[in-house]
Amino acid sequence: CNIKEGTRLIADYVFSDCGVTSITIPESVKSIGNSAISYCTSLTSVTIGNGVTTIGHGAFSECYKLASITIPQNVKSIGDGAFSFCRDLTSITSESTTPPTIVEYYYNAFDEVDKSIPLYVPAESVEAYKSAEYWEEITNILPINESVTSVIDNKIDNISVRSIGNNIVVTGTDNYTVYSISG
């Protein structure tokens, strides 16, 4: 499910209990509403655009099959139970150097999530996350690995290649092609 570019808000409950396996939230979205994508029990993949600053209460709760989540650098606030009961999460990446505020009324944002899974954060922010309220409950806080061993085409000057958690992120202003290991 690709949400249309230009959308600014994902309303409360709009995708709740949907049957999609993948959702892409574009850069134009600023806020993900309360329980907006909750109870999507088939959802395995979410891409959240960098425009998002707020993730609402229970936004992704009970998306049991969600394997990993990357919280973009502009997110400032994550609501109560936003990722609660996402029991298949194997990693969390937060790109923000300042730990986003977790608003808790009844549930931690990561309630019923294995607290020993890796939480990848910017290297300079590891200690901040380890001491931030609610984030400190996650026991495996690691730096995002920004080193890449090689770039195949070194003629491209305006390209950035880095790994974040289990993902390779390629960004740049020049044209480029990405090949799998099998070609």
Side-chain angles (χ1 to χ4, degrees), residues 109-177:
F110 301 101
D111 196 41
E112 296 295 323
V113 171
D114 180 358
K115 301 300 188 292
S116 68
I117 65 172
L119 166 60
Y120 297 101
V121 301
E124 68 273 19
S125 304
V126 170
E127 293 307 314
Y129 278 84
K130 285 182 177 181
S131 62
E133 189 172 25
Y134 306 116
W135 291 102
E136 89 279 0
E137 293 178 17
I138 299 173
T139 60
N140 193 10
I141 301 175
L142 304 168
I144 295 171
N145 179 4
E146 294 193 28
S147 65
V148 175
T149 56
S150 66
V151 176
I152 295 171
D153 185 357
N154 61 7
K155 296 177 187 172
I156 301 174
D157 295 327
N158 297 316
I159 294 286
S160 167
V161 180
R162 61 191 174 120
S163 65
I164 298 178
N166 295 328
N167 299 310
I168 295 177
V169 179
V170 180
T171 56
T173 56
D174 286 344
N175 291 330
Y176 57 90
T177 303

Side-chain angles (χ1 to χ4, degrees), residues 7 11 19-20 23 25 36 45 59 63 70 96 106 109 120 146 174 176 183:
T7 302
V20 300
I23 291 180
I25 299 169
S45 171
C63 292
T70 296
S96 179
Y106 302 106
Y120 297 101
E146 294 193 28
D174 286 344
Y176 57 90

Side-chain angles (χ1 to χ4, degrees), residues 7-175:
T7 302
R8 299 194 40 87
L9 165 70
I10 299 177
D12 295 354
Y13 302 97
V14 73
F15 292 108
S16 185
D17 201 19
C18 69
V20 300
T21 59
S22 170
I23 291 180
T24 299
I25 299 169
E27 305 287 323
S28 61
V29 172
K30 303 298 179 211
S31 180
I32 300 171
N34 298 333
S35 298
I37 307 170
S38 61
Y39 304 101
C40 295
T41 58
S42 298
L43 186 67
T44 59
S45 171
V46 172
T47 302
I48 301 174
N50 285 325
V52 173
T53 60
T54 304
I55 298 174
H57 303 293
F60 296 93
S61 67
E62 300 194 41
C63 292
Y64 301 118
K65 294 182 181 177
L66 190 58
S68 66
I69 190 74
T70 296
I71 300 165
Q73 65 185 4
N74 293 324
V75 171
K76 304 294 183 228
S77 174
I78 300 174
D80 175 303
F83 300 97
S84 62
F85 300 94
C86 293
R87 294 184 180 129
D88 280 359
L89 277 177
T90 59
S91 71
I92 302 165
T93 300
S94 179
E95 296 176 333
S96 179
T97 55
T98 302
T101 300
I102 293 178
V103 179
E104 181 177 341
Y105 296 113
Y106 302 106
Y107 302 103
N108 178 308
F110 301 101
D111 196 41
E112 296 295 323
V113 171
D114 180 358
K115 301 300 188 292
S116 68
I117 65 172
L119 166 60
Y120 297 101
V121 301
E124 68 273 19
S125 304
V126 170
E127 293 307 314
Y129 278 84
K130 285 182 177 181
S131 62
E133 189 172 25
Y134 306 116
W135 291 102
E136 89 279 0
E137 293 178 17
I138 299 173
T139 60
N140 193 10
I141 301 175
L142 304 168
I144 295 171
N145 179 4
E146 294 193 28
S147 65
V148 175
T149 56
S150 66
V151 176
I152 295 171
D153 185 357
N154 61 7
K155 296 177 187 172
I156 301 174
D157 295 327
N158 297 316
I159 294 286
S160 167
V161 180
R162 61 191 174 120
S163 65
I164 298 178
N166 295 328
N167 299 310
I168 295 177
V169 179
V170 180
T171 56
T173 56
D174 286 344
N175 291 330

